[in-house]
Amino acid sequence: MAAEPGHLAGLSPLLSAAVTQACAAVSHNLSGQRLGRKGRITRERILVAAIEMIEMSDEPVTLARVARKASLGMTSLYNYFTDMTELLLAVLEPVMETARDDYLSVLRERWSDDDLFACCYHFVRRYHNFWLCHSRLLHMRNSMADQRNARMMRHRIDSSRPIIGLIVAQMDFDTLGSNPSTSMATMVMIGIERSVTLVTDNELRKLVEMGPDISEDRYLIPGARLMQFAIRDARDGGGQDYPEAPPV
């Protein structure tokens, strides 16, 4: 296998390939100039600088700091990204692309009834490991979404849809829609994401007094159990209709 170009050498091969693919798909910069090889490499350098700053250091991430790390002036950076949200969305694109070969691949093959909990736990553990690898980036996205950043809110929703769709498929339903299985899969995914958010955030762990000696399985195993119960209930024919709400 050929060595990665110098500016990509610090990334994993999978992420490096995803960055290259994402940049190759962009045809013009924000000034309307068509991107040739030099322009694509410049965009790659910006994304790599941002990824390394986010994932490999604790320093605050700003456009100016990313430009300096990429050895570019601000004018050059503004040819590609207008603000931090746009840059983070561009970084998220290749990072989330690697999820196809990571936790999403675990969900694609139908899980047997006999191995259902083991498969659910394997997925939750892979999802946790993905978050652990990219925790600062994903926490930044969620923080901005919680602050009502519409573009980050949309990204957060869209990145969950494939997972929810595959959970619905594990329930033996074909499509997403306004049905109990989609609702249940959505609630399961919300619970799993929130628990993974907790166990990958050191500050949150401190707030709930979850010290470093406490395993993340305290939350991952219950998440896998909830997922198992939801899938098994759907396969057994339960929850096909919304139950009537009890009187308040």
Side-chain angles (χ1 to χ4, degrees), residues 32-202:
Q33 298 170 317
R34 187 168 185 83
L35 292 183
R37 181 175 180 275
K38 182 178 178 181
R40 288 195 299 273
I41 289 176
T42 299
R43 187 180 176 90
E44 287 176 3
R45 285 168 54 198
I46 295 169
L47 293 190
V48 170
I51 290 170
E52 291 180 345
M53 182 170 289
I54 293 167
E55 298 192 346
M56 302 175 192
S57 75
D58 294 325
E59 61 182 308
V61 183
T62 65
L63 291 180
R65 287 174 182 265
V66 171
R68 283 198 298 273
K69 187 170 180 61
S71 300
L72 295 170
M74 287 300 293
T75 300
S76 295
L77 187 141
Y78 280 129
N79 279 330
Y80 298 88
F81 303 103
T82 58
D83 56 26
M84 181 56 67
T85 297
E86 194 170 300
L87 175 57
L88 289 179
L89 286 170
V91 168
L92 282 160
E93 181 181 350
V95 167
M96 298 309 298
E97 181 63 27
T98 66
R100 295 178 184 274
D101 295 320
D102 200 291
Y103 59 79
L104 285 177
S105 65
V106 176
L107 272 168
R108 289 198 176 97
E109 186 173 346
R110 190 183 189 279
W111 300 337
S112 72
D113 290 335
D114 291 341
D115 297 326
L116 191 53
F117 172 72
C119 292
C120 289
Y121 178 77
H122 184 45
F123 162 74
V124 172
R125 171 59 65 176
R126 287 282 287 268
Y127 187 69
H128 164 266
N129 290 347
F130 182 87
W131 263 74
L132 202 58
C133 288
H134 306 290
S135 60
R136 193 177 183 210
L137 173 63
L138 294 170
H139 284 297
M140 288 173 67
R141 179 200 68 181
N142 285 5
S143 176
M144 294 171 73
D146 289 342
Q147 294 168 29
R148 314 299 292 177
N149 182 306
R151 288 177 288 176
M152 289 302 181
M153 290 170 68
R154 173 50 55 190
H155 185 278
R156 188 177 187 179
I157 292 168
D158 289 345
S159 65
S160 294
R161 287 187 187 278
I163 309 173
I164 294 169
L166 289 169
I167 295 173
V168 169
Q170 291 290 347
M171 294 173 167
D172 290 341
F173 286 84
D174 294 332
T175 59
L176 290 171
S178 298
N179 57 65
S181 293
T182 297
S183 300
M184 182 60 74
T186 300
M187 293 304 296
V188 167
M189 195 56 225
I190 289 172
I192 291 172
E193 189 203 5
R194 286 297 183 183
S195 63
V196 168
T197 299
L198 167 62
V199 299
T200 58
D201 187 314
N202 289 332

